[in-house]
mmCIF file of all heavy atoms in Angstrom:
data_model
loop_
_atom_site.group_PDB
_atom_site.id
_atom_site.type_symbol
_atom_site.label_atom_id
_atom_site.label_comp_id
_atom_site.label_asym_id
_atom_site.label_seq_id
_atom_site.Cartn_x
_atom_site.Cartn_y
_atom_site.Cartn_z
ATOM 1 N N GLY A 1 -27.972 -34.818 -4.244
ATOM 2 C CA GLY A 1 -28.883 -35.030 -3.132
ATOM 3 C C GLY A 1 -30.246 -34.413 -3.360
ATOM 4 O O GLY A 1 -31.044 -34.321 -2.424
ATOM 5 N N GLY A 2 -30.514 -33.958 -4.590
ATOM 6 C CA GLY A 2 -31.837 -33.471 -4.930
ATOM 7 C C GLY A 2 -32.049 -31.981 -4.801
ATOM 8 O O GLY A 2 -33.127 -31.481 -5.117
ATOM 9 N N ASP A 3 -31.039 -31.228 -4.326
ATOM 10 C CA ASP A 3 -31.189 -29.778 -4.251
ATOM 11 C C ASP A 3 -29.848 -29.137 -4.571
ATOM 12 O O ASP A 3 -28.810 -29.802 -4.661
ATOM 13 C CB ASP A 3 -31.693 -29.340 -2.869
ATOM 14 C CG ASP A 3 -30.790 -29.808 -1.740
ATOM 15 O OD1 ASP A 3 -29.582 -29.513 -1.770
ATOM 16 O OD2 ASP A 3 -31.294 -30.466 -0.814
ATOM 17 N N ALA A 4 -29.881 -27.818 -4.752
ATOM 18 C CA ALA A 4 -28.668 -27.107 -5.169
ATOM 19 C C ALA A 4 -27.535 -27.239 -4.167
ATOM 20 O O ALA A 4 -26.364 -27.311 -4.539
ATOM 21 C CB ALA A 4 -28.994 -25.626 -5.407
ATOM 22 N N GLY A 5 -27.868 -27.290 -2.875
ATOM 23 C CA GLY A 5 -26.829 -27.366 -1.856
ATOM 24 C C GLY A 5 -26.107 -28.693 -1.806
ATOM 25 O O GLY A 5 -24.964 -28.758 -1.365
ATOM 26 N N THR A 6 -26.774 -29.754 -2.246
ATOM 27 C CA THR A 6 -26.156 -31.082 -2.206
ATOM 28 C C THR A 6 -25.965 -31.662 -3.608
ATOM 29 O O THR A 6 -25.826 -32.873 -3.773
ATOM 30 C CB THR A 6 -27.009 -32.048 -1.358
ATOM 31 O OG1 THR A 6 -28.350 -32.087 -1.871
ATOM 32 C CG2 THR A 6 -27.029 -31.609 0.092
ATOM 33 N N ARG A 7 -25.960 -30.818 -4.609
ATOM 34 C CA ARG A 7 -25.667 -31.224 -5.987
ATOM 35 C C ARG A 7 -24.331 -30.571 -6.321
ATOM 36 O O ARG A 7 -24.276 -29.438 -6.792
ATOM 37 C CB ARG A 7 -26.781 -30.772 -6.917
ATOM 38 C CG ARG A 7 -26.691 -31.308 -8.336
ATOM 39 C CD ARG A 7 -27.925 -30.925 -9.125
ATOM 40 N NE ARG A 7 -29.097 -31.694 -8.717
ATOM 41 C CZ ARG A 7 -30.327 -31.224 -8.657
ATOM 42 N NH1 ARG A 7 -30.563 -29.963 -8.941
ATOM 43 N NH2 ARG A 7 -31.338 -32.006 -8.283
ATOM 44 N N ARG A 8 -23.233 -31.325 -6.100
ATOM 45 C CA ARG A 8 -21.924 -30.689 -6.161
ATOM 46 C C ARG A 8 -20.793 -31.716 -6.251
ATOM 47 O O ARG A 8 -20.986 -32.911 -6.079
ATOM 48 C CB ARG A 8 -21.707 -29.847 -4.915
ATOM 49 C CG ARG A 8 -21.832 -30.631 -3.613
ATOM 50 C CD ARG A 8 -21.454 -29.802 -2.386
ATOM 51 N NE ARG A 8 -22.174 -28.551 -2.332
ATOM 52 C CZ ARG A 8 -21.745 -27.493 -1.645
ATOM 53 N NH1 ARG A 8 -20.615 -27.568 -0.966
ATOM 54 N NH2 ARG A 8 -22.439 -26.387 -1.618
ATOM 55 N N LEU A 9 -19.593 -31.194 -6.505
ATOM 56 C CA LEU A 9 -18.371 -31.985 -6.510
ATOM 57 C C LEU A 9 -17.898 -32.205 -5.079
ATOM 58 O O LEU A 9 -17.834 -31.268 -4.284
ATOM 59 C CB LEU A 9 -17.278 -31.255 -7.292
ATOM 60 C CG LEU A 9 -17.426 -31.220 -8.809
ATOM 61 C CD1 LEU A 9 -16.650 -30.029 -9.383
ATOM 62 C CD2 LEU A 9 -16.926 -32.529 -9.412
ATOM 63 N N VAL A 10 -17.568 -33.450 -4.758
ATOM 64 C CA VAL A 10 -17.034 -33.777 -3.442
ATOM 65 C C VAL A 10 -15.936 -34.821 -3.603
ATOM 66 O O VAL A 10 -15.811 -35.473 -4.647
ATOM 67 C CB VAL A 10 -18.130 -34.312 -2.489
ATOM 68 C CG1 VAL A 10 -19.137 -33.232 -2.150
ATOM 69 C CG2 VAL A 10 -18.830 -35.530 -3.092
ATOM 70 N N MET A 11 -15.141 -34.993 -2.541
ATOM 71 C CA MET A 11 -14.108 -36.024 -2.513
ATOM 72 C C MET A 11 -14.450 -37.058 -1.446
ATOM 73 O O MET A 11 -14.835 -36.707 -0.328
ATOM 74 C CB MET A 11 -12.737 -35.419 -2.195
ATOM 75 C CG MET A 11 -12.169 -34.517 -3.272
ATOM 76 S SD MET A 11 -11.892 -35.321 -4.886
ATOM 77 C CE MET A 11 -10.730 -36.621 -4.460
ATOM 78 N N ALA A 12 -14.298 -38.339 -1.780
ATOM 79 C CA ALA A 12 -14.490 -39.425 -0.816
ATOM 80 C C ALA A 12 -13.237 -39.521 0.042
ATOM 81 O O ALA A 12 -12.205 -40.015 -0.417
ATOM 82 C CB ALA A 12 -14.745 -40.735 -1.553
ATOM 83 N N GLN A 13 -13.316 -39.041 1.285
ATOM 84 C CA GLN A 13 -12.128 -38.944 2.127
ATOM 85 C C GLN A 13 -12.303 -39.539 3.517
ATOM 86 O O GLN A 13 -11.395 -39.460 4.339
ATOM 87 C CB GLN A 13 -11.723 -37.459 2.263
ATOM 88 C CG GLN A 13 -11.297 -36.838 0.935
ATOM 89 C CD GLN A 13 -11.033 -35.358 1.024
ATOM 90 O OE1 GLN A 13 -11.688 -34.635 1.773
ATOM 91 N NE2 GLN A 13 -10.062 -34.873 0.259
ATOM 92 N N ASP A 14 -13.446 -40.162 3.778
ATOM 93 C CA ASP A 14 -13.686 -40.649 5.128
ATOM 94 C C ASP A 14 -14.661 -41.818 5.082
ATOM 95 O O ASP A 14 -15.188 -42.162 4.012
ATOM 96 C CB ASP A 14 -14.259 -39.504 5.984
ATOM 97 C CG ASP A 14 -14.051 -39.706 7.477
ATOM 98 O OD1 ASP A 14 -13.381 -40.676 7.871
ATOM 99 O OD2 ASP A 14 -14.562 -38.881 8.267
ATOM 100 N N THR A 15 -14.897 -42.430 6.229
ATOM 101 C CA THR A 15 -15.892 -43.488 6.349
ATOM 102 C C THR A 15 -16.523 -43.380 7.729
ATOM 103 O O THR A 15 -16.173 -42.499 8.513
ATOM 104 C CB THR A 15 -15.275 -44.877 6.129
ATOM 105 O OG1 THR A 15 -16.307 -45.839 5.949
ATOM 106 C CG2 THR A 15 -14.382 -45.290 7.293
ATOM 107 N N GLY A 16 -17.464 -44.261 8.042
ATOM 108 C CA GLY A 16 -18.116 -44.244 9.340
ATOM 109 C C GLY A 16 -18.818 -45.558 9.591
ATOM 110 O O GLY A 16 -19.121 -46.303 8.658
ATOM 111 N N GLY A 17 -19.102 -45.820 10.877
ATOM 112 C CA GLY A 17 -19.705 -47.094 11.245
ATOM 113 C C GLY A 17 -21.053 -47.339 10.612
ATOM 114 O O GLY A 17 -21.426 -48.476 10.349
ATOM 115 N N GLY A 18 -21.823 -46.279 10.351
ATOM 116 C CA GLY A 18 -23.140 -46.445 9.761
ATOM 117 C C GLY A 18 -23.180 -46.170 8.275
ATOM 118 O O GLY A 18 -24.253 -46.134 7.674
ATOM 119 N N ILE A 19 -22.002 -45.977 7.666
ATOM 120 C CA ILE A 19 -21.959 -45.640 6.234
ATOM 121 C C ILE A 19 -21.674 -46.923 5.455
ATOM 122 O O ILE A 19 -20.532 -47.267 5.156
ATOM 123 C CB ILE A 19 -20.881 -44.572 5.959
ATOM 124 C CG1 ILE A 19 -21.035 -43.401 6.939
ATOM 125 C CG2 ILE A 19 -20.994 -44.077 4.521
ATOM 126 C CD1 ILE A 19 -22.413 -42.774 6.946
ATOM 127 N N ILE A 20 -22.723 -47.648 5.148
ATOM 128 C CA ILE A 20 -22.612 -48.940 4.478
ATOM 129 C C ILE A 20 -23.597 -48.977 3.320
ATOM 130 O O ILE A 20 -24.774 -48.678 3.483
ATOM 131 C CB ILE A 20 -22.896 -50.096 5.451
ATOM 132 C CG1 ILE A 20 -21.879 -50.085 6.614
ATOM 133 C CG2 ILE A 20 -22.852 -51.436 4.724
ATOM 134 C CD1 ILE A 20 -22.182 -51.090 7.691
ATOM 135 N N GLY A 21 -23.103 -49.344 2.147
ATOM 136 C CA GLY A 21 -23.963 -49.473 0.981
ATOM 137 C C GLY A 21 -23.322 -48.876 -0.250
ATOM 138 O O GLY A 21 -22.405 -48.057 -0.163
ATOM 139 N N ALA A 22 -23.798 -49.285 -1.401
ATOM 140 C CA ALA A 22 -23.207 -48.838 -2.662
ATOM 141 C C ALA A 22 -23.351 -47.340 -2.856
ATOM 142 O O ALA A 22 -22.407 -46.645 -3.240
ATOM 143 C CB ALA A 22 -23.862 -49.591 -3.828
ATOM 144 N N VAL A 23 -24.554 -46.819 -2.595
ATOM 145 C CA VAL A 23 -24.824 -45.395 -2.781
ATOM 146 C C VAL A 23 -25.186 -44.828 -1.409
ATOM 147 O O VAL A 23 -26.353 -44.675 -1.064
ATOM 148 C CB VAL A 23 -25.950 -45.157 -3.798
ATOM 149 C CG1 VAL A 23 -26.110 -43.666 -4.096
ATOM 150 C CG2 VAL A 23 -25.679 -45.927 -5.092
ATOM 151 N N ARG A 24 -24.170 -44.521 -0.643
ATOM 152 C CA ARG A 24 -24.349 -44.048 0.740
ATOM 153 C C ARG A 24 -23.243 -43.057 1.047
ATOM 154 O O ARG A 24 -22.061 -43.318 0.795
ATOM 155 C CB ARG A 24 -24.266 -45.239 1.693
ATOM 156 C CG ARG A 24 -24.407 -44.885 3.163
ATOM 157 C CD ARG A 24 -25.835 -44.508 3.514
ATOM 158 N NE ARG A 24 -25.978 -44.257 4.958
ATOM 159 C CZ ARG A 24 -25.820 -43.054 5.514
ATOM 160 N NH1 ARG A 24 -25.540 -42.006 4.750
ATOM 161 N NH2 ARG A 24 -25.967 -42.902 6.810
ATOM 162 N N ALA A 25 -23.590 -41.884 1.559
ATOM 163 C CA ALA A 25 -22.587 -40.870 1.860
ATOM 164 C C ALA A 25 -23.008 -40.050 3.065
ATOM 165 O O ALA A 25 -24.196 -39.823 3.301
ATOM 166 C CB ALA A 25 -22.350 -39.952 0.663
ATOM 167 N N ASP A 26 -22.013 -39.603 3.822
ATOM 168 C CA ASP A 26 -22.182 -38.694 4.949
ATOM 169 C C ASP A 26 -21.429 -37.424 4.578
ATOM 170 O O ASP A 26 -20.217 -37.457 4.327
ATOM 171 C CB ASP A 26 -21.595 -39.332 6.209
ATOM 172 C CG ASP A 26 -22.357 -38.990 7.468
ATOM 173 O OD1 ASP A 26 -23.459 -38.428 7.369
ATOM 174 O OD2 ASP A 26 -21.855 -39.298 8.562
#
């Protein structure tokens, strides 16, 4: 995400009504 706090390992475990697109994350 461009900074140290959002440059990390995560797991895709959820979705949402506004989370649409190839490169899109909440």
